[in-house]
Short mmCIF file of all heavy atoms in Angstrom, two decimals:
data_model
loop_
_atom_site.label_atom_id
_atom_site.label_comp_id
_atom_site.label_asym_id
_atom_site.label_seq_id
_atom_site.Cartn_x
_atom_site.Cartn_y
_atom_site.Cartn_z
N TYR A 36 91.07 83.02 100.03
CA TYR A 36 89.86 83.46 100.72
C TYR A 36 90.01 83.01 102.17
O TYR A 36 90.69 82.02 102.46
CB TYR A 36 88.61 82.79 100.12
CG TYR A 36 88.34 83.12 98.67
CD1 TYR A 36 87.98 82.13 97.77
CD2 TYR A 36 88.41 84.43 98.21
CE1 TYR A 36 87.70 82.42 96.45
CE2 TYR A 36 88.13 84.73 96.88
CZ TYR A 36 87.79 83.72 96.01
OH TYR A 36 87.50 84.01 94.70
N TYR A 40 84.58 79.66 111.06
CA TYR A 40 83.42 78.82 111.34
C TYR A 40 83.27 78.65 112.84
O TYR A 40 84.26 78.66 113.58
CB TYR A 40 83.56 77.44 110.69
CG TYR A 40 83.32 77.41 109.21
CD1 TYR A 40 84.32 77.71 108.31
CD2 TYR A 40 82.06 77.07 108.71
CE1 TYR A 40 84.09 77.68 106.94
CE2 TYR A 40 81.82 77.02 107.34
CZ TYR A 40 82.84 77.33 106.48
OH TYR A 40 82.59 77.29 105.12
N GLN A 42 81.39 76.07 115.80
CA GLN A 42 80.71 74.79 116.03
C GLN A 42 80.23 74.74 117.47
O GLN A 42 81.04 74.66 118.41
CB GLN A 42 81.63 73.61 115.73
CG GLN A 42 80.93 72.27 115.85
CD GLN A 42 81.82 71.11 115.47
OE1 GLN A 42 83.03 71.16 115.69
NE2 GLN A 42 81.25 70.07 114.90
N ASN A 45 77.38 69.47 119.60
CA ASN A 45 76.46 68.57 118.90
C ASN A 45 75.84 69.18 117.64
O ASN A 45 74.77 68.73 117.20
CB ASN A 45 75.35 68.09 119.84
CG ASN A 45 75.91 67.37 121.05
OD1 ASN A 45 76.79 66.53 120.93
ND2 ASN A 45 75.42 67.72 122.22
N GLN A 46 76.49 70.17 117.09
CA GLN A 46 76.00 70.77 115.86
C GLN A 46 77.10 70.80 114.81
O GLN A 46 78.26 70.58 115.11
CB GLN A 46 75.50 72.20 116.12
CG GLN A 46 74.28 72.28 117.04
CD GLN A 46 73.75 73.69 117.16
OE1 GLN A 46 73.87 74.50 116.25
NE2 GLN A 46 73.17 74.00 118.31
N GLY A 47 76.71 71.05 113.57
CA GLY A 47 77.68 71.17 112.49
C GLY A 47 78.38 72.52 112.51
O GLY A 47 78.00 73.43 113.24
N LEU A 48 79.41 72.63 111.71
CA LEU A 48 80.11 73.91 111.58
C LEU A 48 79.19 74.90 110.88
O LEU A 48 78.53 74.59 109.90
CB LEU A 48 81.39 73.75 110.75
CG LEU A 48 82.64 73.27 111.46
CD1 LEU A 48 82.55 71.81 111.81
CD2 LEU A 48 83.88 73.54 110.60
N LEU A 50 79.10 78.84 109.18
CA LEU A 50 79.92 79.95 108.72
C LEU A 50 79.63 81.18 109.56
O LEU A 50 78.48 81.61 109.68
CB LEU A 50 79.64 80.23 107.25
CG LEU A 50 80.45 81.35 106.62
CD1 LEU A 50 81.94 80.99 106.59
CD2 LEU A 50 79.96 81.63 105.20
N LEU A 55 86.33 87.48 101.04
CA LEU A 55 86.60 87.08 99.66
C LEU A 55 87.33 88.18 98.92
O LEU A 55 88.27 87.92 98.16
CB LEU A 55 85.30 86.72 98.94
CG LEU A 55 84.43 85.61 99.55
CD1 LEU A 55 83.22 85.32 98.67
CD2 LEU A 55 85.24 84.34 99.76
N PHE A 94 86.77 77.63 114.20
CA PHE A 94 87.73 77.16 113.23
C PHE A 94 88.01 78.25 112.20
O PHE A 94 87.09 78.81 111.62
CB PHE A 94 87.20 75.92 112.48
CG PHE A 94 87.06 74.71 113.34
CD1 PHE A 94 85.86 74.45 114.00
CD2 PHE A 94 88.11 73.83 113.50
CE1 PHE A 94 85.71 73.32 114.79
CE2 PHE A 94 87.97 72.69 114.29
CZ PHE A 94 86.78 72.44 114.94
N PRO A 101 91.02 80.40 92.90
CA PRO A 101 89.57 80.58 93.07
C PRO A 101 88.86 79.36 93.63
O PRO A 101 87.76 79.06 93.23
CB PRO A 101 89.15 80.81 91.62
CG PRO A 101 90.04 79.86 90.84
CD PRO A 101 91.33 79.81 91.59
N GLY A 102 89.48 78.67 94.59
CA GLY A 102 88.91 77.42 95.09
C GLY A 102 87.59 77.56 95.83
O GLY A 102 86.82 76.61 95.89
N GLY A 103 87.34 78.72 96.43
CA GLY A 103 86.09 78.91 97.14
C GLY A 103 85.89 77.85 98.22
O GLY A 103 86.80 77.54 98.99
N TYR A 104 84.70 77.23 98.22
CA TYR A 104 84.41 76.22 99.23
C TYR A 104 84.90 74.84 98.81
O TYR A 104 84.72 73.87 99.52
CB TYR A 104 82.89 76.17 99.50
CG TYR A 104 82.39 77.42 100.17
CD1 TYR A 104 81.93 78.50 99.44
CD2 TYR A 104 82.39 77.52 101.56
CE1 TYR A 104 81.48 79.66 100.06
CE2 TYR A 104 81.94 78.67 102.19
CZ TYR A 104 81.49 79.73 101.43
OH TYR A 104 81.05 80.86 102.05
N ASN A 105 85.55 74.76 97.66
CA ASN A 105 86.04 73.46 97.20
C ASN A 105 87.26 72.99 97.95
O ASN A 105 87.49 71.81 98.09
CB ASN A 105 86.37 73.53 95.71
CG ASN A 105 85.15 73.27 94.85
OD1 ASN A 105 84.03 73.29 95.34
ND2 ASN A 105 85.36 73.05 93.57
N LYS A 106 88.08 73.89 98.36
CA LYS A 106 89.39 73.50 98.90
C LYS A 106 89.63 74.15 100.24
O LYS A 106 90.66 74.77 100.46
CB LYS A 106 90.49 73.92 97.91
CG LYS A 106 90.48 73.15 96.61
CD LYS A 106 90.98 71.74 96.80
CE LYS A 106 91.05 70.99 95.48
NZ LYS A 106 91.49 69.58 95.67
N LEU A 107 88.69 74.00 101.15
CA LEU A 107 88.86 74.60 102.48
C LEU A 107 89.97 73.88 103.24
O LEU A 107 89.98 72.65 103.32
CB LEU A 107 87.56 74.52 103.26
CG LEU A 107 86.44 75.43 102.79
CD1 LEU A 107 85.16 75.15 103.57
CD2 LEU A 107 86.83 76.89 102.95
N PHE A 109 91.58 73.88 107.02
CA PHE A 109 91.20 74.33 108.35
C PHE A 109 92.36 74.35 109.32
O PHE A 109 93.32 73.58 109.21
CB PHE A 109 90.12 73.40 108.93
CG PHE A 109 88.77 73.56 108.31
CD1 PHE A 109 88.42 72.85 107.17
CD2 PHE A 109 87.83 74.41 108.89
CE1 PHE A 109 87.16 72.99 106.61
CE2 PHE A 109 86.57 74.55 108.34
CZ PHE A 109 86.24 73.85 107.20
N GLY A 110 92.25 75.22 110.31
CA GLY A 110 93.11 75.15 111.48
C GLY A 110 92.57 74.11 112.44
O GLY A 110 91.52 73.50 112.21
N ALA A 111 93.28 73.90 113.52
CA ALA A 111 92.92 72.85 114.48
C ALA A 111 91.79 73.26 115.41
O ALA A 111 91.28 72.43 116.16
CB ALA A 111 94.14 72.44 115.29
N PHE B 97 81.33 67.13 100.29
CA PHE B 97 82.72 67.01 100.71
C PHE B 97 82.77 66.17 101.98
O PHE B 97 81.90 66.27 102.84
CB PHE B 97 83.30 68.40 101.02
CG PHE B 97 83.15 69.41 99.91
CD1 PHE B 97 82.04 70.23 99.85
CD2 PHE B 97 84.12 69.53 98.94
CE1 PHE B 97 81.89 71.16 98.83
CE2 PHE B 97 83.99 70.47 97.91
CZ PHE B 97 82.87 71.27 97.86
N TYR B 99 85.30 65.26 105.25
CA TYR B 99 86.48 65.67 106.01
C TYR B 99 86.71 64.68 107.15
O TYR B 99 85.79 64.00 107.61
CB TYR B 99 86.28 67.07 106.62
CG TYR B 99 86.18 68.20 105.65
CD1 TYR B 99 84.96 68.51 105.03
CD2 TYR B 99 87.29 68.99 105.34
CE1 TYR B 99 84.86 69.57 104.15
CE2 TYR B 99 87.18 70.05 104.46
CZ TYR B 99 85.97 70.33 103.87
OH TYR B 99 85.86 71.38 102.99
N GLN B 101 88.83 64.54 111.02
CA GLN B 101 89.55 65.31 112.02
C GLN B 101 90.05 64.39 113.12
O GLN B 101 89.27 63.75 113.82
CB GLN B 101 88.66 66.39 112.64
CG GLN B 101 89.40 67.27 113.64
CD GLN B 101 88.50 68.28 114.32
OE1 GLN B 101 87.30 68.04 114.49
NE2 GLN B 101 89.06 69.41 114.71
N LYS B 104 92.91 67.01 118.29
CA LYS B 104 93.85 68.14 118.37
C LYS B 104 94.41 68.55 117.01
O LYS B 104 95.39 69.29 116.94
CB LYS B 104 95.02 67.81 119.31
CG LYS B 104 94.60 67.32 120.69
CD LYS B 104 93.95 68.39 121.50
CE LYS B 104 93.66 67.89 122.91
NZ LYS B 104 92.90 68.87 123.71
N GLN B 105 93.82 68.07 115.95
CA GLN B 105 94.32 68.41 114.62
C GLN B 105 93.23 69.07 113.78
O GLN B 105 92.08 69.15 114.18
CB GLN B 105 94.84 67.16 113.92
CG GLN B 105 96.04 66.51 114.61
CD GLN B 105 96.59 65.36 113.80
OE1 GLN B 105 96.52 65.33 112.57
NE2 GLN B 105 97.16 64.39 114.49
N SER B 106 93.62 69.53 112.61
CA SER B 106 92.71 70.23 111.73
C SER B 106 91.76 69.25 111.04
O SER B 106 92.04 68.06 110.93
CB SER B 106 93.49 70.96 110.64
OG SER B 106 94.52 71.72 111.17
N LEU B 107 90.66 69.81 110.55
CA LEU B 107 89.82 69.04 109.63
C LEU B 107 90.59 68.92 108.32
O LEU B 107 91.11 69.91 107.80
CB LEU B 107 88.51 69.77 109.32
CG LEU B 107 87.38 69.72 110.32
CD1 LEU B 107 87.63 70.65 111.48
CD2 LEU B 107 86.06 70.06 109.64
N LEU B 109 90.39 67.63 104.32
CA LEU B 109 89.51 67.19 103.23
C LEU B 109 89.97 65.83 102.74
O LEU B 109 91.15 65.62 102.43
CB LEU B 109 89.55 68.21 102.09
CG LEU B 109 88.69 67.90 100.88
CD1 LEU B 109 87.20 67.90 101.24
CD2 LEU B 109 88.95 68.90 99.75
N GLU B 122 91.58 63.18 97.85
CA GLU B 122 92.80 63.96 98.09
C GLU B 122 93.99 63.00 98.18
O GLU B 122 93.84 61.80 98.46
CB GLU B 122 92.66 64.77 99.37
CG GLU B 122 91.57 65.82 99.31
CD GLU B 122 91.83 66.87 98.24
OE1 GLU B 122 92.92 67.49 98.26
OE2 GLU B 122 90.94 67.06 97.38
N PHE B 154 86.93 61.73 113.74
CA PHE B 154 85.69 62.49 113.60
C PHE B 154 85.52 62.78 112.11
O PHE B 154 86.40 63.39 111.49
CB PHE B 154 85.80 63.78 114.41
CG PHE B 154 84.51 64.52 114.61
CD1 PHE B 154 83.43 63.90 115.21
CD2 PHE B 154 84.38 65.84 114.23
CE1 PHE B 154 82.24 64.56 115.42
CE2 PHE B 154 83.19 66.53 114.44
CZ PHE B 154 82.12 65.89 115.03
N ILE B 156 83.29 64.46 109.04
CA ILE B 156 82.32 65.54 108.83
C ILE B 156 82.07 65.69 107.33
O ILE B 156 83.01 65.65 106.54
CB ILE B 156 82.84 66.88 109.37
CG1 ILE B 156 83.21 66.77 110.85
CG2 ILE B 156 81.80 67.98 109.19
CD1 ILE B 156 83.83 68.04 111.41
N ARG B 160 76.92 71.30 99.08
CA ARG B 160 76.74 72.57 98.38
C ARG B 160 75.74 72.38 97.25
O ARG B 160 75.79 71.38 96.53
CB ARG B 160 78.07 73.04 97.82
CG ARG B 160 78.02 74.43 97.22
CD ARG B 160 79.36 74.81 96.61
NE ARG B 160 79.63 74.06 95.40
CZ ARG B 160 80.84 73.81 94.93
NH1 ARG B 160 81.89 74.24 95.59
NH2 ARG B 160 81.01 73.14 93.81
N VAL B 165 82.04 77.79 92.73
CA VAL B 165 82.82 77.34 93.90
C VAL B 165 82.61 78.26 95.09
O VAL B 165 82.89 77.88 96.22
CB VAL B 165 84.32 77.25 93.56
CG1 VAL B 165 84.56 76.19 92.50
CG2 VAL B 165 84.87 78.59 93.11
N ASN B 166 82.08 79.45 94.84
CA ASN B 166 81.83 80.39 95.94
C ASN B 166 80.43 80.25 96.53
O ASN B 166 80.03 81.04 97.38
CB ASN B 166 82.06 81.82 95.46
CG ASN B 166 83.52 82.11 95.19
OD1 ASN B 166 84.39 81.45 95.75
ND2 ASN B 166 83.80 83.07 94.35
N THR B 167 79.68 79.26 96.06
CA THR B 167 78.40 78.95 96.69
C THR B 167 78.68 78.27 98.02
O THR B 167 79.41 77.28 98.06
CB THR B 167 77.56 78.02 95.79
OG1 THR B 167 77.35 78.65 94.53
CG2 THR B 167 76.22 77.71 96.44
N GLU B 168 78.07 78.79 99.08
CA GLU B 168 78.40 78.28 100.41
C GLU B 168 78.09 76.80 100.55
O GLU B 168 77.07 76.30 100.08
CB GLU B 168 77.62 79.05 101.48
CG GLU B 168 78.00 78.64 102.91
CD GLU B 168 77.33 79.48 103.97
OE1 GLU B 168 76.75 80.53 103.63
OE2 GLU B 168 77.40 79.09 105.15
N ALA B 169 79.00 76.09 101.21
CA ALA B 169 78.79 74.69 101.56
C ALA B 169 78.39 74.62 103.03
O ALA B 169 78.98 75.30 103.87
CB ALA B 169 80.08 73.89 101.32
N PHE B 171 77.63 72.38 106.60
CA PHE B 171 78.23 71.22 107.25
C PHE B 171 77.23 70.42 108.06
O PHE B 171 76.31 70.97 108.68
CB PHE B 171 79.35 71.68 108.18
CG PHE B 171 80.61 72.08 107.46
CD1 PHE B 171 80.73 73.32 106.85
CD2 PHE B 171 81.67 71.20 107.37
CE1 PHE B 171 81.88 73.68 106.18
CE2 PHE B 171 82.84 71.55 106.70
CZ PHE B 171 82.94 72.79 106.11
N GLY B 172 77.46 69.11 108.09
CA GLY B 172 76.76 68.26 109.03
C GLY B 172 77.40 68.35 110.40
O GLY B 172 78.41 69.03 110.59
N GLN B 173 76.80 67.65 111.37
CA GLN B 173 77.27 67.76 112.75
C GLN B 173 78.40 66.81 113.06
O GLN B 173 78.97 66.84 114.14
CB GLN B 173 76.11 67.53 113.73
CG GLN B 173 75.68 66.07 113.90
CD GLN B 173 74.67 65.65 112.86
OE1 GLN B 173 74.66 66.12 111.72
NE2 GLN B 173 73.81 64.73 113.25
#
Side-chain angles (χ1 to χ4, degrees):
Chain A
Y36 298 136
Y40 283 85
Q42 185 177 33
N45 301 315
Q46 295 185 30
L48 276 73
L50 181 64
L55 302 184
F94 293 91
Y104 292 91
N105 274 13
K106 292 287 183 182
L107 289 174
F109 287 87
Chain B
F97 307 90
Y99 294 83
Q101 183 184 29
K104 307 292 185 185
Q105 297 185 30
S106 310
L107 281 77
L109 180 64
E122 296 298 305
F154 193 57
I156 304 175
R160 187 183 71 205
V165 296
N166 290 336
T167 301
E168 184 175 349
F171 284 79
Q173 76 274 32

